[in-house]
Amino acid sequence: MPPLRIAVLVKGYPRLSETFIAQELLGLEARGLDLAIWSLRHPHDGAVHPMHRKIRAPVSYLPEYLYQAPWRVLRGAVSALRRPGLWTFLALARRDLARDFTANRGRRLGQALVLARELPAQTDHIHVHYLHTPASVARYAAALTGRRWSASAHAKDIWTTPDWELADKLDDPRLAFAVTCTAAGAARLREVAAAPDRVSLVYHGLDLSRFPAAPETRPSRDGSDPADPLRVVAVGRAVAKKGFDDLLDALAALPPDLHWRLAHVGGGEELAALRAKAAALGLSQKVVFLGAKPQPDVVALLREADLFVLPAKRAPSGDRDGLPNVIMEAASQGLCVVATDFAGIPEFLRDGIEGRLVPPGDWGALSNAINLLARDPAERARLAAAALARLRAEFGAESGFDTIARLLEGAARR
C-alpha cells in the first residue's frame, strides 16, 4: 500500500522547547508515514536541534498575521465558496465567533481558509499538536475539505482552554482520536468529552537512541569545597508554570556553608525578571542564565551536573506542565532530580524512589531537599539509578510511536 500522507499542524516549527514533537515526527517517519509540516508561526529560537535536521518532512508556513498575506487569504476564501464543506465551516465559525469574538479567532479562521486551499489533494489526514488555537485551524480546515483530523494535547492547551471549546473539539464528528501525554491530562479531557473513550493516554517517553549512555561515575561533590561547588542545572522556558522564581528563593535560603552554582537553560518572557530577582537576592555570582540551547549543549550540562531541579507549579493563568521531557533527559544521564509533586511529574518520579518531590510553590521545602541531597552524593546516586532504570523499563518512546502510527493509519484508511 502507498504510504499515508499526513499533514501535521503545529503552532511553531522548529522550536527548541518542543523536543517531544520532533522526536515523534522522526518516529512516525521511521514507521513509513509520509509527513508534511504546517506551522502557524515562523521559528524564533535562532537554533535547531540535530534531530530537526533529520526530519524529512517539508515545512510550510501559514500567514502568522492575515494582513501579511492578504492574497493567500483571499484565494482561500474564494476557494472555500466551491467546497461542499462550506456550510459546515460557516456554522462552526458562527458558533465560535458568538462565544469568542476576538482577533485571534478571526486569525484562525483565515489560516484555515489558507490551509484548506493549499493542502495537496492527496493528503489523507490532518493531525495537530495542541488542542487550543492550532486545533481550531485543523478543525475548520477539516470541515472545509471533508477530511478527518486528530489531536495530540499536551499541557497549556488542556488547562487554559475553556470547557466549551474542549468539549466542542473532542465531540467533533470528524475527530478520529485525541491523545495526551499524562494521566492527569487524560482525566481532564475525559471529564469534558461526551465520548471519553476517544481520549487515549500515550506518554511521550524518551528515544534513548538519541542520547549517550549515562556517565559510569560522577564526582562526589557535596558542596563543602568552595573551589569545586555543587553544580545545579535547571532547564525550561522562563515562564510562571516552571517555578524558577521559587528556585531562586530556595537557593537564597541555603546555608552559607553549602557552596553551589546554578546554570539555567531556556528563553522565555520572564527571563529578565529572573535575572533581576537573582541580583536582588545577591545570587548574581552564583547563577548564570544561558538562554535557549540546542539539545547537545543541554546534554553536556546534564552530564557535568550534580543535581537537576524543576519546581513546576500552577501559573496564575491556570497553565501547568505535563510531564516535561527534560526530566527524563536528566534521568537518561544518570542525574538526580528534585521536582514538585505536581501535574504529570509524579507519574514518572516517585518521591524517595526515583527522585525527591516537594509541594509546588513551597520554596522552603525545595531548599531543604536541595540542601539534603547536595550533602549526600550516595543518595543522589541511588535515586538517579532508580530513575534511569524506570526510564528504560517503562518510558521508552518506541511504544508511543507505534501507538500514534497505528491510530493515524486507522484514521486515514477509513
Side-chain angles (χ1 to χ4, degrees), residues 87 93 154 185 195 209 236 298 309 331 354 371:
W87 296 110
H154 300 293
S209 67
V298 176
V309 185
E354 292 94 10
N371 182 39

Side-chain angles (χ1 to χ4, degrees), residues 13-20 22 45 47-55 210 292-298 329:
Y13 185 86
R15 300 182 76 177
L16 289 176
S17 61
E18 294 180 347
T19 56
F20 55 92
D45 289 330
V48 298
H49 294 305
M51 60 180 162
H52 285 127
R53 299 188 179 95
K54 297 179 181 179
I55 295 169
R210 295 189 294 103
K293 294 289 182 182
Q295 197 165 58
D297 293 355
V298 176
E329 292 172 8

Side-chain angles (χ1 to χ4, degrees), residues 40 62-64 66 106-116 137:
L40 306 187
L62 298 173
E64 186 168 345
L66 303 186
R107 184 157 60 247
R108 304 315 165 199
L109 289 164
Q111 289 174 321
L113 291 171
V114 174
L115 178 62
V137 177

